[in-house]
Amino acid sequence: MLFRAKGFDAVSMDEVAKGAGVGPGTLYRHFTTKESLYDAVLEAWAEKVNTAVDQALSLDAPAREQLLKWLTDFAAMLTEHKGAAARITAALGDPGSPFAAKCQTYLGANQRVIDALDSALRPGVEAMQISRLVGGVAAVADNSDLPADSVASMLSIIVDGLLAA
Amino acid sequence: MLFRAKGFDAVSMDEVAKGAGVGPGTLYRHFTTKESLYDAVLEAWAEKVNTAVDQALSLDAPAREQLLKWLTDFAAMLTEHKGAAARITAALGDPGSPFAAKCQTYLGANQRVIDALDSALRPGVEAMQISRLVGGVAAVADNSDLPADSVASMLSIIVDGLLAA
DNA sequence: ACCTGAACACCGTTCAAGT
DNA sequence: ACCTGAACACCGTTCAAGT
């Protein structure tokens, strides 16, 4: 879709309307705002999250590797759509945001990881902290078009910080 | 100044012009773009960075505490102006950005910290990595208006990841 | 009922016209 | 030479008018 290629901010509602063969007014009868349209665009993609958690946790490897795999996938999924990472991360604490459902999915996924890895982790880590840390890295990677290995090296630092001392 | 209170995006060039008692055209004779005006606004504030490094490094405390103090100050300074953290962090790899000078200051400051703490740190850490990690946290904190202790707990995780295993 | 597309409010930026 | 402010291009969003 348009948003994936050019990014949320670079696609105007007129373009979307034209692409869909309708007037801009019709768009607004289906979606109250541009962000809620974007939320709908991200619908299917958000479902991949839990699959990624399953994969990472079923890895026959130490906690450090499982965690790194999950966070790498997480960051990659956030970066898949330009502009999504910053928006979703900003919405993490805001129940009124159009992305609220997506945020719950993410927080839930990170909670599952915390529950599974449990004793290997630093005591007291919260799903919200992980979500924000990785969301922040993803947003930076998105803004600066960072290569995968730059992202990996930053995530590696975070992973070490998340493991029990 | 206006930018500090309301944030970069919430202040229009017309407002700035009116506040300065000139027409918008005059503003553009002094600054080629809105971002370069913002860069000028941030001028004095950027000089605080090296002072903050000095203070942190002169602390009579273990490396962990010195690092945490510096990163906390760093993040606080980035969050001081709404919208600055994301912009400066995004500009870190872009020499053509209006914020390029500021980025050099930041990178230099983090390099000084790396040189000073040296053996206490994980081998191979780069100033760019620290700048982006903390810039990402600051941007998230800025977007979501996070309280200081939320920021502190995230920085603490990063600090642990930055220390030698 | 449903859709259209002109119109609105608001940007950053420019430039012909004034002094 | 320097400044002004109307004008331009482009947004997201609305709504009177058509079918």
Side-chain angles (χ1 to χ4, degrees):
Chain A
M1 159 65 127
L2 274 174
F3 281 126
R4 175 113 156 239
K6 316 214 303 174
F8 178 75
D9 292 313
V11 178
S12 73
M13 290 300 264
D14 275 2
E15 275 181 89
V16 177
K18 196 140 293 177
V22 299
T26 309
L27 232 48
Y28 279 88
R29 290 204 322 109
H30 292 287
F31 308 99
T32 53
T33 175
K34 193 186 180 187
E35 289 218 318
S36 79
L37 185 160
Y38 196 32
D39 182 65
V41 169
L42 297 178
E43 205 61 45
W45 157 82
E47 288 166 20
K48 298 188 207 164
V49 174
N50 280 305
T51 316
V53 175
D54 290 335
Q55 279 184 15
L57 292 184
S58 68
L59 227 58
D60 185 20
R64 189 184 190 289
E65 256 176 72
Q66 293 188 15
L67 194 53
L68 188 59
K69 165 102 171 89
W70 156 239
L71 294 190
T72 304
D73 286 353
F74 186 29
M77 283 165 30
L78 278 171
T79 320
E80 214 163 298
H81 287 74
K82 245 199 166 327
R87 255 162 247 272
I88 293 178
T89 306
L92 275 171
D94 173 17
S97 157
F99 303 112
K102 246 119 254 163
C103 291
Q104 280 319 112
T105 307
Y106 282 132
L107 289 169
N110 273 317
Q111 189 58 54
R112 280 186 59 205
V113 172
I114 291 177
D115 291 343
L117 298 186
D118 197 18
S119 62
L121 295 182
R122 144 207 292 260
V125 221
E126 291 162 26
M128 185 63 95
Q129 293 174 334
I130 302 183
S131 304
R132 285 192 172 132
L133 277 168
V134 180
V137 168
V140 171
D142 186 18
N143 279 335
S144 301
D145 280 313
L146 299 188
D149 62 318
S150 285
V151 178
S153 69
M154 287 191 282
L155 291 180
S156 180
I157 292 171
I158 290 179
V159 164
D160 282 346
L162 287 173
L163 294 174
Chain B
M1 160 68 129
L2 274 172
F3 281 126
R4 174 113 157 238
K6 314 215 303 177
F8 179 74
D9 291 314
V11 178
S12 74
M13 288 301 262
D14 275 0
E15 275 181 88
V16 177
K18 196 141 293 177
V22 298
T26 308
L27 232 50
Y28 279 88
R29 291 201 322 109
H30 292 287
F31 309 98
T32 53
T33 175
K34 192 187 181 187
E35 288 218 319
S36 79
L37 186 160
Y38 196 33
D39 182 64
V41 169
L42 297 179
E43 205 62 44
W45 157 81
E47 288 166 20
K48 297 189 209 163
V49 175
N50 281 305
T51 315
V53 175
D54 290 336
Q55 277 183 16
L57 292 184
S58 68
L59 229 58
D60 186 20
R64 189 183 190 290
E65 257 176 72
Q66 293 188 16
L67 194 53
L68 188 59
K69 163 99 171 93
W70 156 240
L71 294 190
T72 305
D73 287 352
F74 187 27
M77 282 166 29
L78 280 171
T79 321
E80 214 163 298
H81 286 73
K82 246 202 166 326
R87 255 163 246 272
I88 293 179
T89 306
L92 275 171
D94 173 16
S97 157
F99 302 112
K102 243 119 255 160
C103 292
Q104 279 319 113
T105 306
Y106 282 131
L107 289 169
N110 273 317
Q111 190 58 55
R112 280 186 60 205
V113 172
I114 292 177
D115 292 343
L117 299 186
D118 195 20
S119 62
L121 294 182
R122 143 208 292 259
V125 220
E126 289 162 26
M128 185 64 95
Q129 293 173 333
I130 302 184
S131 303
R132 283 190 174 133
L133 278 168
V134 179
V137 169
V140 172
D142 187 19
N143 279 336
S144 302
D145 279 312
L146 298 188
D149 62 319
S150 286
V151 177
S153 70
M154 288 191 281
L155 291 180
S156 179
I157 292 171
I158 290 179
V159 164
D160 282 347
L162 288 173
L163 294 174

